Amino acid sequence: MRYFVLLAFMLCHTAWAEFTPKTVSKVDLNRYMGKWYEVAKIPNTFQKSCVQDITANYTLLANNQVKGINSCRKANGQIFQMGIQGKVKDTSNAKLGFKITSSWLRFIPMLETDYWIVDLAEDYSHATVSTSDGKYLWILARQPQLAEPVYQQILQRVAKLGFATDKVVKNKS
């Protein structure tokens, strides 16, 4: 019985072990700013109503603060937008934290989402971001679509980082 309890504890502990993604070594925030198109993601409940035209547009403010507008088209054709504001959390500029600024959720002081840049093209043409626990992942590009070979290379790189790429779903064009 003692061994069974120990084995069960080890299995549960492994299943609950936290995955901490590795971020890129350096991000030039000025180059990172601008419009990004979501190409693919690990599906999540908070974007469930977004069916296409998913974008984020970032602007750099003073003191490495970032302002953004997340936008998408819902199934009924309506455009949804949400304002966010973030701050850089490390010297590499690869770890940011964002808070919602355009809804009643802005009044919840502890509601902050980590935004970690885990893959970034040298020319800043595409990026992959995740949450700090690796549960969510987004593949972004400066254009609405990526060439298939580039997309497959991104998936291979993030798989090596430990992400569940079998859960990644491409967005509708």
Side-chain angles (χ1 to χ4, degrees), residues 32 47 79:
Y32 195 81
Q47 282 184 289
I79 299 290

Side-chain angles (χ1 to χ4, degrees), residues 70-119:
N70 290 342
S71 171
C72 73
R73 185 173 305 279
K74 294 181 173 187
N76 65 5
Q78 182 182 17
I79 299 290
F80 171 78
Q81 291 188 327
M82 178 176 59
I84 56 173
Q85 186 146 349
K87 62 183 175 184
V88 175
K89 298 184 127 192
D90 75 335
T91 58
S92 73
N93 297 332
K95 295 179 181 179
L96 295 95
F98 280 104
K99 290 185 178 192
I100 296 170
T101 60
S102 66
S103 79
W104 64 271
L105 293 171
R106 71 179 176 271
F107 298 112
I108 303 173
M110 293 169 284
L111 190 60
E112 182 175 284
T113 301
D114 287 323
Y115 181 103
W116 287 16
I117 303 167
V118 297
D119 188 64

Side-chain angles (χ1 to χ4, degrees), residues 35-46:
K35 189 170 191 172
W36 290 95
Y37 295 86
E38 182 184 280
V39 175
K41 67 177 166 280
I42 293 177
N44 55 68
T45 56
F46 46 89

Side-chain angles (χ1 to χ4, degrees), residues 49-172:
S49 64
C50 293
V51 295
Q52 66 187 77
D53 302 329
I54 304 168
T55 63
N57 201 341
Y58 302 116
T59 306
L60 188 60
L61 305 173
N63 299 324
N64 285 344
Q65 299 282 315
V66 177
K67 179 178 150 186
I69 299 289
N70 290 342
S71 171
C72 73
R73 185 173 305 279
K74 294 181 173 187
N76 65 5
Q78 182 182 17
I79 299 290
F80 171 78
Q81 291 188 327
M82 178 176 59
I84 56 173
Q85 186 146 349
K87 62 183 175 184
V88 175
K89 298 184 127 192
D90 75 335
T91 58
S92 73
N93 297 332
K95 295 179 181 179
L96 295 95
F98 280 104
K99 290 185 178 192
I100 296 170
T101 60
S102 66
S103 79
W104 64 271
L105 293 171
R106 71 179 176 271
F107 298 112
I108 303 173
M110 293 169 284
L111 190 60
E112 182 175 284
T113 301
D114 287 323
Y115 181 103
W116 287 16
I117 303 167
V118 297
D119 188 64
L120 181 61
E122 282 186 39
D123 64 357
Y124 286 65
S125 61
H126 58 80
T128 305
V129 299
S130 77
T131 51
S132 61
D133 61 4
K135 186 175 180 182
Y136 300 111
L137 182 82
W138 296 266
I139 298 174
L140 310 174
R142 297 296 187 173
Q143 302 297 321
Q145 298 178 10
L146 285 169
E148 189 61 24
V150 174
Y151 177 73
Q152 291 302 321
Q153 290 168 359
I154 293 167
L155 287 178
Q156 288 172 5
R157 286 193 301 272
V158 297
K160 288 179 184 175
L161 293 173
F163 288 95
T165 55
D166 59 320
K167 294 181 181 179
V168 175
V169 176
K170 269 187 166 180
N171 290 349
K172 295 178 186 175

Side-chain angles (χ1 to χ4, degrees), residues 5-17:
V5 172
L6 181 60
L7 178 63
F9 174 77
M10 288 172 48
L11 290 173
C12 289
H13 181 69
T14 303
W16 290 54

